Amino acid sequence: MLFSSITFLYFFLPLTVLLYYGVPGRAKNFVLFVLSVLFYAWGEPVYVLLMLAEIVVAYGLTIAMQRLGKSLAGKVCYALSVLFPFTLLFYYKFSPFLPIGISFYTFQIVSYCIDVRRGRVELQKSLLKLATYVTLFPQLVAGPIVRYADVAAVIDGIDSKDSKGSQGFLKKDACVSFERGVVRFLVGLGKKVLIANVLGEFVTEVSVLPHMQRGILLSWGYAAAICLQLYFDFSGYSDMAIGLGRMLGFSFPENFNYPFIAKSVSEFWRRWHMTLGGWFRDYVYIPLGGNRCSKWRWIFNVLVVWMFTGLWHGAEWNFVLWGLSFAVLLVAEKAVKGLVKQHNVLTDVLGHGYMILVILGTFVLFHNTQLSGAWQDLTGLWRVSAGAQVDVVLNGYLLKNRLGILAIGIIGATPLPKKLWCGFCDRVSQTNVGKIAAVWLECAFSVALLLLCTAYLIDGSFNPFLYFRF
């Protein structure tokens, strides 16, 4: 079930809110777990059993691990708690059938087992609560990757007798959190439906056009549309997940921070899919030694992390090469950074331009599962193939028809719209009347956004989610 679907928006979500806030505190975890399983089973009626089996195995192994301590048997249980989910993940990555969200919930299960072993979080003795954490539907199928420490307090506090937060709407701060969650969800919905989907239509239009008929300008527009579609598709879904979490009382970590304003590739990856980068940093890179080692060992650590990052996205050569290309770029940037002692406007501009070119090229590779197609798309950015028969009229029509959404995407990928909106609200809210007006304006904006998205979903049929395949 997609967040950006009529079924979810007008049936599943209202039902969830009514049931979650309508039952006593002690029943909330159970209700949330059942609804999350139903949400997943809607799209994966068979593989939901796989996810539940992994949860039960992790639950049993972590309890055994804690009881056995540092003995050999305890170490074996710990190793199995990590290896079992990863074995299943790699098996399905290389099989024709990939369960939705397996990359995300595998990382959540593994991080929980490791954190319990390291003493970073307490062992969860309730199978229901552990299952609620893993299956939590707002972040189940596409992230952000939520660690147990991020939600443990809420899950444990829901059924606590002295937890007044479980009364939901009765508390003012809960009402504010719910309202903020609704707005965040609708903004993400708008990014997904009104921008990502329209950009996706452009990507589809160009992808079916033979390479011999594409001009250089159309190829660059195509590459830009691929990057922007990925960004608005995934960041929009992350916004919806974070918003849904707030509506239910959870605080999920941010996943994107305007990556396209970065001045280097390394900065880009500190802003893009931040929960994935943080997971690999804490559970792979640092345990391998991080940068507190020799130069050659550090290079090895970077290559390992980025090879696994590529494989996490898919067991195809384009993902492996995509990941390793970033490893090479990050190592090269480290070397160049040591030579450039001072940074000024010129170096920032050059760095930003270089980053944009690199991201355009690498995400074209990311988009193509066939290396031959990726190579043709990449070479099309710089030259027209010999003997090409470029359809100038069709190229011009496609670009002109989609120029507006490309401009909206480029501007929307910067902090400018948010700064303008927040600045306007701050100026309006100087008086009590202005504060009321700002609230009503935000409500009107949210309702208009919902209606626009609903109209698009009813009228249109193009509504994929790219990260479901990971």
Side-chain angles (χ1 to χ4, degrees):
M1 189 186 304
L2 291 170
F3 293 162
S4 54
S5 67
I6 298 297
T7 303
F8 180 84
L9 291 173
Y10 291 100
F11 295 98
F12 188 86
L13 181 56
L15 177 65
T16 297
V17 173
L18 288 172
L19 289 177
Y20 184 74
Y21 285 103
V23 300
R26 290 187 176 276
K28 290 185 185 297
N29 278 322
F30 177 75
V31 167
L32 197 53
F33 167 70
V34 171
L35 289 170
S36 296
V37 171
L38 288 174
F39 175 85
Y40 189 80
W42 187 276
E44 294 283 20
V46 175
Y47 287 119
V48 67
L49 298 176
L50 173 69
M51 178 179 62
L52 295 176
E54 288 197 47
I55 294 170
V56 172
V57 170
Y59 174 77
L61 287 174
T62 49
I63 288 180
M65 174 184 72
Q66 285 294 89
R67 290 180 178 177
L68 295 170
K70 296 184 179 180
S71 65
L72 177 61
K75 292 178 181 178
V76 170
C77 289
Y78 172 55
L80 289 175
S81 71
V82 174
L83 292 176
F84 178 68
F86 274 139
T87 300
L88 290 176
L89 175 62
F90 278 99
Y91 169 77
Y92 282 106
K93 283 288 184 181
F94 286 93
S95 74
F97 308 103
L98 183 65
I100 293 173
I102 189 172
S103 298
F104 291 92
Y105 70 70
T106 295
F107 272 30
Q108 291 184 199
I109 291 172
V110 170
S111 66
Y112 165 74
C113 295
I114 293 175
D115 286 349
V116 168
R117 182 66 174 182
R118 293 176 178 176
R120 293 179 178 177
V121 299
E122 293 185 7
L123 175 72
Q124 179 52 262
K125 297 179 181 179
S126 167
L127 178 59
L128 173 61
K129 290 181 179 180
L130 179 62
T132 301
Y133 154 64
V134 177
T135 63
L136 199 58
F137 79 86
Q139 48 77 57
L140 172 61
V141 296
I145 298 172
V146 177
R147 304 186 196 184
Y148 180 68
D150 297 327
V151 298
V154 179
I155 290 177
D156 284 331
I158 281 176
D159 58 5
S160 175
K161 292 181 179 179
D162 59 354
S163 176
K164 297 182 180 179
S166 63
Q167 301 302 314
F169 295 121
L170 298 180
K171 291 191 69 179
K172 181 179 178 180
D173 56 348
C175 290
V176 172
S177 179
F178 187 89
E179 177 198 351
R180 293 292 90 201
V182 170
V183 173
R184 183 69 179 268
F185 175 83
L186 291 174
V187 169
L189 181 66
K191 289 167 70 174
K192 169 71 179 80
V193 173
L194 303 178
I195 301 180
N197 284 2
V198 180
L199 285 166
E201 291 173 356
F202 177 47
V203 170
T204 302
E205 291 169 353
V206 179
S207 65
V208 298
L209 188 67
H211 289 86
M212 302 294 283
Q213 296 180 22
R214 302 180 198 172
I216 292 178
L217 285 178
L218 183 61
S219 296
W220 279 98
Y222 175 60
I226 288 172
C227 291
L228 291 171
Q229 184 198 7
L230 278 169
Y231 170 71
F232 283 104
D233 194 85
F234 194 22
S235 70
Y237 218 87
S238 294
D239 286 340
M240 286 188 277
I242 293 169
L244 288 169
R246 287 186 181 179
M247 291 165 66
L248 300 174
F250 295 91
S251 180
F252 297 158
E254 295 292 335
N255 214 20
F256 289 87
N257 183 25
Y258 302 108
F260 292 108
I261 67 171
K263 301 179 183 67
S264 66
V265 173
S266 57
E267 184 186 354
F268 177 89
W269 280 107
R270 290 194 295 271
R271 294 172 174 271
W272 177 285
H273 204 346
M274 296 186 290
T275 57
L276 178 66
W279 199 98
F280 274 111
R281 179 195 63 223
D282 294 342
Y283 298 106
V284 180
Y285 180 67
I286 292 177
L288 284 174
N291 58 3
R292 297 177 179 272
C293 52
S294 67
K295 180 180 70 173
W296 294 109
R297 178 53 190 258
W298 170 73
I299 292 173
F300 171 78
N301 295 343
V302 173
L303 287 171
V304 168
V305 167
W306 281 99
M307 182 184 68
F308 281 124
T309 300
L311 286 172
W312 181 88
H313 285 88
E316 284 89 20
W317 280 111
N318 67 308
F319 293 123
V320 175
L321 293 175
W322 174 80
L324 291 177
S325 66
F326 278 113
V328 173
L329 288 165
L330 292 172
V331 170
E333 278 192 0
K334 183 87 169 181
V336 172
K337 187 177 180 181
L339 299 175
V340 180
K341 302 299 181 182
Q342 294 182 346
H343 291 272
N344 50 43
V345 175
L346 179 59
T347 57
D348 287 346
V349 170
L350 291 175
H352 180 70
Y354 142 79
M355 183 278 299
I356 292 295
L357 290 176
V358 166
I359 296 304
L360 284 173
T362 52
F363 274 76
V364 166
L365 174 62
F366 180 91
H367 177 73
N368 282 273
T369 55
Q370 298 295 325
L371 292 181
S372 58
W375 176 251
Q376 288 179 306
D377 284 346
L378 288 170
T379 54
L381 296 173
W382 306 106
R383 61 181 176 83
V384 178
S385 302
Q389 298 176 341
V390 177
D391 191 330
V392 178
V393 175
L394 181 58
N395 276 232
Y397 170 77
L398 290 174
L399 277 175
K400 185 178 179 180
N401 194 37
R402 301 299 185 178
L403 200 58
I405 192 62
L406 284 171
I408 290 172
I410 292 170
I411 296 171
T414 71
L416 181 61
K418 184 176 180 180
K419 285 184 178 179
L420 291 176
W421 175 260
C422 292
F424 172 76
C425 290
D426 289 341
R427 287 193 297 272
V428 171
S429 302
Q430 296 297 322
T431 63
N432 290 331
V433 175
K435 290 179 182 178
I436 296 173
V439 171
W440 280 103
L441 184 62
E442 185 175 66
C443 289
F445 171 77
S446 300
V447 171
L449 200 54
L450 177 60
L451 292 176
L452 277 173
C453 292
T454 301
Y456 181 92
L457 291 172
I458 292 174
D459 184 60
S461 59
F462 187 86
N463 188 32
F465 178 60
L466 302 179
Y467 264 71
F468 272 0
R469 58 178 173 154
F470 308 133

